[in-house]
């Protein structure tokens, strides 16, 4: 049985297939509207979510399936002391596929060992968020038309931002991709990603604290929020939370065909005025997330 715990669980060819399917779903929604008839998706969210949980639910409903689950662990029997493994094993008796978000890094991987149905990691702590990465990949493919020959600026909380970690891993597999890592000193990309992903794959990368320094070189600017929930110290969060606020002035030297992405939720890091800039793609990105999750559900349930 196939699970999706880490973006590396999918080969480049499998990602190409998912993108092809997602595009076909976008163009032919009716064709897919009963593909998951009699199938049940469970969404087990031990951490808050708007996009990931609801896009999974919307994806399954769009495929003709049904959804069950909880959006707050306090409403589940984990609040009585039940382990997450027992919870997932139980829910796998009621469902065909499970999307799970948990604050502990590695939790989806651990439960996948005993689950009777495919497990999708919908975000584990500050570690990974592979379905956001699939969303980002579909966005990049649709908006730039390619995965190769791209200079990608990643800006904000690159330490705790799990979407950044998964995106670097995914994009490092394509030709001539360069990264500009833009963050305050305290929120740099973890060393293990620099060594085990960037350096190991001979990827060109640089670091800066200045969002404007390489603005004219970027094909994609991926903004992220500072992850308040991962900080041990509120004072540090307050000091860093508005370190970057992207506005039209900061975009003055950017390319005309730059694409601005953000996994959302946004706090202050992109000014509202940028929403009207034709280069802003973050709300389109939300929409792409539904279609790539539809494609993923079909793949993991082995439905043609
Ligand atoms: N991008 C993302 O994971 O958003 P949610 O936290 O709202 O699911």
């Amino acid at each position: 049985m196939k699970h999706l715990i880490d973006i590396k669980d999918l080969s480049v060819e499998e990602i190409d297939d998912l993108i092809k399917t997602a595009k076909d779903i976008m163009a032919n929604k009716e064709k897919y509207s009963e593909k998951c008839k009699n199938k049940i998706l469970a969404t087990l969210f031990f951490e808050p979510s708007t996009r990931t949980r609801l896009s999974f639910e919307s994806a399954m409903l769009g495929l003709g399936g049904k959804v069950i689950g909880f959006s707050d662990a306090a409403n589940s029997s984990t609040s009585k002391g039940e382990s997450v493994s027992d919870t997932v094993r139980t829910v796998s008796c009621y469902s065909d596929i499970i999307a799970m978000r948990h604050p502990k890094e590695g939790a989806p991987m651990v439960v996948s060992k005993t689950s009777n149905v495919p497990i999708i990691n919908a975000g584990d702590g500050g570690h990974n968020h592979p379905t956001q990465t699939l969303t980002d990949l579909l966005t990049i493919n649709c908006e730039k038309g390619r995965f190769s020959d791209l200079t990608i600026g990643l800006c904000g909380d690159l330490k705790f931002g799990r979407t950044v970690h998964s995106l670097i891993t995914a994009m490092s597999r394509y030709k001539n991709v360069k990264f500009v890592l833009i963050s305050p000193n305290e929120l740099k990309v973890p060393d293990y990603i620099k060594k085990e992903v960037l350096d190991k794959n001979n990827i060109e990368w640089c670091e800066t604290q200045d969002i404007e320094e390489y603005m004219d070189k970027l094909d994609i600017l991926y903004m992220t929020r500072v992850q308040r929930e991962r900080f041990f110290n509120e004072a540090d969060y307050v000091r860093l939370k508005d370190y970057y606020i992207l506005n039209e002035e900061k975009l003055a030297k950017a390319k005309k065909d730059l694409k601005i992405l953000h996994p959302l939720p946004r706090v202050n890091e992109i000014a509202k005025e940028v929403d009207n800039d034709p280069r802003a793609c973050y709300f389109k990105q939300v929409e792409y997330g539904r279609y790539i999750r539809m494609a993923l559900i079909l793949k993991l349930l082995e439905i043609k």
Side-chain angles (χ1 to χ4, degrees):
M1 187 198 316
K2 185 120 179 148
H3 306 285
L4 179 64
I5 306 301
D6 187 299
I7 195 68
K8 284 181 295 188
D9 294 341
L10 295 168
S11 66
V12 168
E13 291 73 26
E14 286 176 309
I15 287 175
D16 286 348
D17 279 348
L18 284 172
I19 284 175
K20 207 168 136 194
T21 305
K23 286 182 175 175
D24 195 52
I25 296 170
M26 285 191 265
N28 306 286
K29 294 185 187 73
E30 201 51 41
K31 192 171 109 188
Y32 291 86
S33 64
E34 299 217 351
K35 290 276 184 193
C36 284
K37 207 171 166 196
N38 303 322
K39 298 288 182 192
I40 296 175
L41 164 79
T43 53
L44 309 186
F45 277 63
F46 296 86
E47 264 197 341
S49 166
T50 296
R51 276 145 293 272
T52 311
R53 186 174 65 83
L54 294 179
S55 66
F56 263 118
E57 295 190 0
S58 171
M60 191 48 144
L61 294 173
L63 292 167
K66 294 187 170 59
V67 293
I68 58 171
F70 55 79
S71 57
D72 182 353
N75 294 331
S76 78
S77 288
T78 52
S79 63
K80 301 179 213 163
E82 186 173 47
S83 71
V84 178
S85 277
D86 284 0
T87 301
V88 169
R89 202 161 173 178
T90 300
V91 175
S92 70
C93 300
Y94 311 143
S95 59
D96 301 287
I97 186 164
I98 294 174
M100 170 187 160
R101 171 172 289 185
H102 199 278
K104 285 222 172 83
E105 303 185 353
M109 191 267 287
V110 171
V111 302
S112 71
K113 307 281 182 212
T114 51
S115 170
N116 299 322
V117 301
I119 299 291
I120 301 170
N121 177 5
D124 60 330
H127 191 217
N128 279 316
H129 192 347
T131 65
Q132 180 61 48
T133 303
L134 289 175
T135 301
D136 302 340
L137 293 176
L138 180 61
T139 308
I140 292 170
N141 193 276
C142 290
E143 298 297 321
K144 293 301 291 182
R146 64 184 194 276
F147 286 134
S148 56
D149 306 307
L150 292 170
T151 299
I152 303 173
L154 300 160
C155 178
D157 184 349
L158 309 188
K159 178 181 179 185
F160 297 118
R162 57 193 173 197
T163 64
V164 165
H165 306 162
S166 293
L167 185 60
I168 290 175
T169 304
M171 290 305 295
S172 293
R173 299 197 281 192
Y174 298 99
K175 281 208 182 91
N176 195 28
V177 170
K178 299 172 188 162
F179 291 99
V180 179
L181 309 176
I182 310 156
S183 72
N185 257 333
E186 296 91 331
L187 298 177
K188 284 181 172 179
V189 168
D191 283 343
Y192 80 91
I193 293 178
K194 290 177 187 161
K195 280 188 200 129
E196 291 168 26
V197 182
L198 294 170
D199 293 343
K200 201 169 169 181
N201 292 298
N202 295 315
I203 305 292
E204 204 177 301
W205 62 273
C206 64
E207 278 181 329
T208 178
Q209 292 188 38
D210 179 358
I211 192 170
E212 289 174 87
E213 187 177 357
Y214 296 96
M215 188 61 85
D216 59 332
K217 307 276 187 301
L218 304 181
D219 300 301
I220 291 165
L221 175 56
Y222 192 93
M223 296 296 296
T224 62
R225 85 187 154 94
V226 176
Q227 306 259 315
R228 180 182 207 157
E229 63 274 33
R230 315 269 175 235
F231 276 74
F232 291 113
N233 180 336
E234 178 73 5
D236 285 344
Y237 168 72
V238 170
R239 184 169 49 82
L240 296 167
K241 72 184 174 70
D242 292 332
Y243 205 94
Y244 300 109
I245 300 179
L246 183 69
N247 56 21
E248 285 299 320
E249 194 186 332
K250 295 203 172 72
L251 285 165
K253 290 188 186 148
K255 290 182 182 176
K256 291 271 177 288
D257 62 349
L258 171 76
K259 299 295 172 187
I260 305 164
L261 276 62
H262 190 314
L264 304 182
R266 154 177 61 180
V267 186
N268 287 329
E269 57 282 354
I270 302 182
K272 284 285 282 175
E273 65 184 21
V274 180
D275 296 0
N276 299 322
D277 190 307
R279 294 168 291 190
C281 287
Y282 30 92
F283 288 109
K284 275 195 211 167
Q285 200 177 345
V286 171
E287 203 180 332
Y288 289 130
R290 178 172 187 252
Y291 298 112
I292 199 74
R293 288 183 174 102
M294 288 170 93
L296 179 67
I297 290 169
L298 292 174
K299 178 180 173 59
L300 296 182
L301 290 178
E302 298 179 349
I303 295 171
K304 292 282 171 222

